Amino acid sequence: MKPFIAASVALLVATPTSAEDAILNEAVAFTGQIFHLDSGVPGLVIAAVRDGKSAVFGFGEVSKGSGREPDGDTQIGVGSISKTFTGLALAHTVAAGNAALTDPAGPHVGIIEALPEREGREIRLIDLVTHASGLPRELVPVAGVARYSDESFAANLAGDPLLFTPQTGIFYSNVAFDVLAMALSGLSGTSYSDLLQETVLDPIGLEATGFPRPRGDNVMTGYDWNGVEMDPGEPTPNRFGASSLHTTANDMVKYLHWNLDRFGQVGAEARALSHAAWLIRDGLDPVSGMDESGHMDAMGLGWVIMMPDGDRPLVIQKAGGTDGVFSYIAFAPSRGVGVFIAINQFDFSAATAMARVANRLIATLAPR
């Protein structure tokens, strides 16, 4: 099998540490190669870490006909994986003593006098970050108003748009995370992008991660369900909380290492807050939009937590999809293993299969 792998892929991150873990390299390369062949997507990047070592592999093309294989520096729009960064920005805000998770979010949002409430329950910061606010998944169009503008959010938040009483259920909501970013901006007195840069991106060393649209010939082009190229457009600040981050597999390796640093002191309080199970599924009604990448048992701060299953250990994960690119990041915090994978075509069967493949790879690299 090894010659077949060597002939078909190129190791893109070959540091001395990654080279020491032959099993990691072989498992990641084989997993990525088989999934790329099986899914038929134009391009794929897969990265994994184990015990401080890492490997990154690319398959196919960053864009059709380019002849350029994705690598560890390929820029990738990771969509809703951005939510884990928003959750971490909240964790740092709380760790610094500037807010409590149970604080009402409304006074800090700024674009509306008050957030909706029901049965006397206000929307708290913790409700926004765990999808328990009752807010809908997306904004509805407002006549004569640009979508995602302040006016659009204000109109959508007016009256009673709630789907359920806050804290009683979970319904996946992009609106909630965009509102959370607005609240974090209000709490910090700075733009959300600057807050994220200062508290999350710079301390972890994620130099290739940010909101500006990437340029050049090493950007993963996304394709829709019919194989037509999708244009991501220019970034919209009011969408930064829920999505919009671009990054690379190499930066996701750093992010995984940081999240797996169980005993590190730098950022330890924020990391613990980020990973904790703040909302348990049992007894919640409704629960919707949370299981596409694996059964959600609890919610961290933007992270989906899955209890151990069979030979797979406890996994903390998040999926993303934007502009023709699907991505998924997952790690087993007690086992030192994590995986990041991205494909560049909107194919929902491939996206759900991608998460299963990553979760299975974690089980292979860190069996119970």
Side-chain angles (χ1 to χ4, degrees), residues 17-38:
T17 53
S18 67
E20 293 171 5
D21 193 338
I23 292 176
L24 177 67
N25 289 341
E26 293 282 350
V28 175
F30 183 72
T31 297
Q33 179 188 51
I34 294 303
F35 181 66
H36 180 247
L37 293 172
D38 188 53

Side-chain angles (χ1 to χ4, degrees), residues 326-346:
F326 279 126
S327 54
Y328 181 69
I329 188 169
F331 59 94
S334 64
R335 305 304 181 94
V337 171
V339 174
F340 169 76
I341 186 170
I343 59 176
N344 61 344
Q345 182 154 356
F346 266 179

